[in-house]
Amino acid sequence: MNSLVVPSNHRSMMLMASVGFASLMALGLLSLSSIQGSNSSSKRRTGRRKQGRRRRKVYLRGLYNLGNTCFLNSTLQSLASLNAFNLYVKQCIELLAESNGDSVDAGIVIQLNKVLDQLEPRDSHVKALSPRDLISSLSYKGQWIASRNEQDAQELFQMLSSTLQTVARKADGSLLGALNTNQPIGNGFISTNHQQQQQQAADAKQERRVSNPVPENPLLGMAASRTACVRCGYIEAIRHSTFDNLSLTVPRAHVTTIEECLAMYTAMDRLDDFCCRHCSIVATLARVKRDLAEYQTQPANSDRSSKKAKRMVAQLSEQQHMLEEALANNPEAELKGIELSRPPPSTSTRQTMIARPPKILALHLSRSIYLPTGGTAKNPACVRLERLLDISPFTTTGHISTIASAPISGPSLAASSYSRESLAEIRRRNCLYLLNAVVVHSGAHDSGHFYAYRRIEVDPDADPLLGSSDQWFMISDTSAVEVPLDTVLSAGNGYLVFYERI
């Protein structure tokens, strides 16, 4: 056995160090516990670093295919990865518990919540789950759900979204109605405390709205649409509408991107056969003025014709005043008793943009192609996705353009000029989204298979801009396999894409 020989100079240094430590301990400036504490904290830091480098093993639960139910399985797996959606479902469950809700919609939400809970990531392998109870509840609302025919994932998604919205609205209404219900008054006499009871009910109603408001549907956003006449420059009132998903037409190309699909949705269209209300009022006013001048200048051949002329002059003068008021203040105002002239058709521009981005941006990639024969086919274009999606070029900025040939709003930055600071500004404007799930359809237009890609957040404290803690899984019914991010981004056949705002 070889022994370790320590050189003399090293022995001297060790001796001096030992004396130094002994002196410090004798003076009370260094204790054994502090040395051990420092050593143990160093070990803990080392352990944490090793633990941070060690990746957590995650298991996802699959869903049994009960007969062409892959459309349902893939949609449920995708929704299970959306934090804001899961929170919204649980808030609806709380509302149902308070209002004692019992309906077809309530049954669907209860079963949906159970399935979503079962689809949470796990630390150990578990067998697949049967969604039979949820399918049974959904079939009361749409029998097509329970049929063994192939169905559409987007139709199911819209059914679930509208059901949750209905439950939240009805549950809140029943609660407020219960607070407003007055107790029967005995003997037909009005109690002296009746007004006090009404005031208490009103106060309880207000308190209920403040303390536990109707949960906000994270899928709901708002779009702004504008139609403008190129000939006269008149712009109709901006019309706002809510949406829970945007249906984007996929370009006829071999390869495209999700940004190009959004650009097509928000592109400015030109319509040739457009009847402008402003032009109609201008044409009508010109006609009224001609008729008025004719009645004012025609000679009165008799008392009867004179009375008719005076009546027509008064009527036309009133119409002239109404038309001039409408042109000056509000062309959309109702013009009672006036038949508008129809001028020659003009060219108009029409555009739709996102006015209020939702917490969850659900995008439906419409792949239907309508053939000259009357049939339909699937657009096989490969749609390249982005992990981080900036939708600011497709949203209104607060400044609305009054030029008919110009967009409603323009992007504040060119895509090539983005820096970390500009990304922070986009994030502040609620326009930066993180990819969370994708429903993919493989096959032809009327047949095929749905499966999903699902993001798992391993470290909730990690910066989502970096994405270093993300894990992605491809889930096809009962099978769940981890895949790299690039496989998801280049999947190509995306059908439903879910982004969550960060």
Side-chain angles (χ1 to χ4, degrees):
M1 179 177 176
N2 298 327
S3 61
L4 179 64
V5 179
V6 181
S8 59
N9 58 341
H10 284 200
R11 287 199 300 270
S12 301
M13 292 175 64
M14 291 172 64
L15 179 62
M16 291 173 62
S18 300
V19 172
F21 275 114
S23 301
L24 289 172
M25 292 179 66
L27 293 172
L29 299 177
L30 185 65
S31 65
L32 183 61
S33 60
S34 66
I35 298 173
Q36 292 173 340
S38 175
N39 188 33
S40 61
S41 63
S42 177
K43 288 181 178 179
R44 284 197 299 270
R45 287 194 296 270
T46 305
R48 278 198 296 268
R49 286 196 296 268
K50 289 181 179 179
Q51 186 178 2
R53 290 193 294 267
R54 192 183 305 121
R55 200 166 195 182
R56 172 192 167 200
K57 184 68 174 177
V58 174
Y59 295 87
L60 293 183
R61 192 170 195 174
L63 292 167
Y64 286 113
N65 192 320
L66 303 179
N68 285 327
T69 58
C70 58
F71 75 100
L72 179 133
N73 293 347
S74 57
T75 304
L76 292 176
Q77 291 284 3
S78 297
L79 295 176
S81 68
L82 304 172
N83 295 329
F85 182 82
N86 284 266
L87 176 61
Y88 177 55
V89 173
K90 285 178 171 33
Q91 289 172 333
C92 290
I93 291 291
E94 292 176 2
L95 273 180
L96 287 173
E98 294 177 16
S99 62
N100 297 318
D102 183 17
S103 63
V104 170
D105 290 336
I108 292 173
V109 174
I110 291 171
Q111 293 300 327
L112 174 63
N113 182 61
K114 289 181 179 178
V115 173
L116 293 178
D117 284 343
Q118 293 295 322
L119 294 181
E120 289 184 355
R122 298 173 180 273
D123 295 327
S124 60
H125 179 74
V126 287
K127 66 177 183 178
L129 175 72
S130 171
R132 190 177 304 276
D133 291 340
L134 175 58
I135 292 175
S136 177
S137 298
L138 287 167
S139 64
Y140 286 107
K141 195 165 188 175
Q143 293 184 354
W144 57 271
I145 295 287
S147 73
R148 291 185 174 269
N149 299 325
E150 296 192 9
Q151 304 297 341
D152 186 58
Q154 192 220 8
E155 290 183 29
L156 171 68
F157 166 77
Q158 288 184 314
M159 176 185 282
L160 292 174
S161 175
S162 63
T163 298
L164 287 164
Q165 189 74 1
T166 301
V167 164
R169 187 174 60 250
K170 286 184 177 179
D172 181 70
S174 63
L175 277 171
L176 298 180
L179 290 172
N180 267 341
T181 302
N182 297 319
Q183 296 294 328
I185 301 171
N187 301 325
F189 293 100
I190 299 178
S191 168
T192 55
N193 295 327
H194 184 56
Q195 291 184 345
Q196 184 179 358
Q197 291 173 357
Q198 284 187 324
Q199 184 59 44
Q200 289 174 350
D203 293 342
K205 174 180 177 180
Q206 181 62 25
E207 183 180 352
R208 152 74 187 150
R209 283 199 178 276
V210 173
S211 62
N212 194 11
V214 180
E216 179 185 356
N217 187 342
L219 297 165
L220 287 186
M222 183 174 291
S225 299
R226 186 201 68 181
T227 303
C229 178
V230 176
R231 179 168 56 195
C232 71
Y234 173 68
I235 297 177
E236 293 184 355
I238 303 293
R239 303 185 185 279
H240 292 87
S241 59
T242 57
F243 63 86
D244 59 7
N245 73 104
L246 295 179
S247 188
L248 310 180
T249 300
V250 176
R252 298 285 297 273
H254 180 64
V255 179
T256 185
T257 64
I258 193 69
E259 290 97 334
E260 289 176 357
C261 295
L262 280 164
M264 283 186 64
Y265 176 80
T266 58
M268 191 162 50
D269 297 324
R270 295 181 75 89
L271 309 174
D272 293 329
D273 190 15
F274 175 70
C275 182
C276 172
R277 183 173 175 85
H278 184 272
C279 292
S280 296
I281 294 176
V282 170
T284 305
L285 179 60
R287 186 199 72 204
V288 168
K289 286 182 176 179
R290 287 196 304 269
D291 294 345
L292 180 59
E294 183 179 343
Y295 276 104
Q296 286 176 335
T297 57
Q298 72 178 18
N301 297 325
S302 63
D303 292 342
R304 185 176 180 180
S305 61
S306 177
K307 289 180 180 179
K308 179 183 178 182
K310 290 181 179 179
R311 187 172 65 250
M312 290 302 298
V313 166
Q315 181 179 337
L316 291 170
S317 297
E318 183 181 357
Q319 290 182 358
Q320 179 181 345
H321 175 73
M322 292 173 62
L323 291 167
E324 290 173 343
E325 282 287 318
L327 287 175
N329 300 314
N330 180 19
E332 302 296 328
E334 184 180 2
L335 299 171
K336 290 184 178 181
I338 301 178
E339 183 179 352
L340 294 180
S341 300
R342 186 177 177 88
S346 63
T347 301
S348 69
T349 59
R350 183 173 296 172
Q351 186 181 25
T352 299
M353 298 187 77
I354 301 172
R356 189 182 67 200
K359 290 183 179 178
I360 297 173
L361 182 63
L363 303 175
H364 166 230
L365 300 180
S366 178
R367 295 180 172 272
S368 296
I369 300 174
Y370 298 95
L371 304 174
T373 59
T376 54
K378 179 181 175 180
N379 184 348
C382 174
V383 180
R384 175 82 184 180
L385 303 177
E386 294 291 339
R387 189 182 74 88
L388 291 175
L389 179 65
D390 166 30
I391 66 167
S392 60
F394 318 109
T395 61
T396 57
T397 60
H399 173 71
I400 304 299
S401 174
T402 57
I403 303 174
S405 58
I408 301 177
S409 292
S412 55
L413 286 170
S416 59
S417 65
Y418 288 154
S419 63
R420 192 169 184 85
E421 290 74 18
S422 58
L423 281 174
E425 172 62 18
I426 295 166
R427 193 172 181 177
R428 188 188 66 79
R429 288 177 49 204
N430 297 327
C431 291
L432 192 60
Y433 286 80
L434 177 67
L435 181 64
N436 262 291
V438 185
V439 174
V440 177
H441 180 264
S442 62
H445 185 271
D446 297 321
S447 62
H449 178 65
F450 285 103
Y451 59 94
Y453 289 107
R454 179 177 169 186
R455 171 182 168 268
I456 301 300
E457 188 179 50
V458 180
D459 183 7
D461 298 326
D463 187 353
L465 291 176
L466 302 177
S468 56
S469 68
D470 293 354
Q471 283 183 253
W472 280 91
F473 289 83
M474 184 186 77
I475 309 175
S476 178
D477 293 331
T478 59
S479 172
V481 181
E482 186 174 358
V483 295
L485 172 63
D486 193 60
T487 299
V488 183
L489 300 181
S490 59
N493 277 333
Y495 185 67
L496 286 176
V497 185
F498 296 95
Y499 281 91
E500 196 157 9
R501 196 170 66 203
I502 57 176

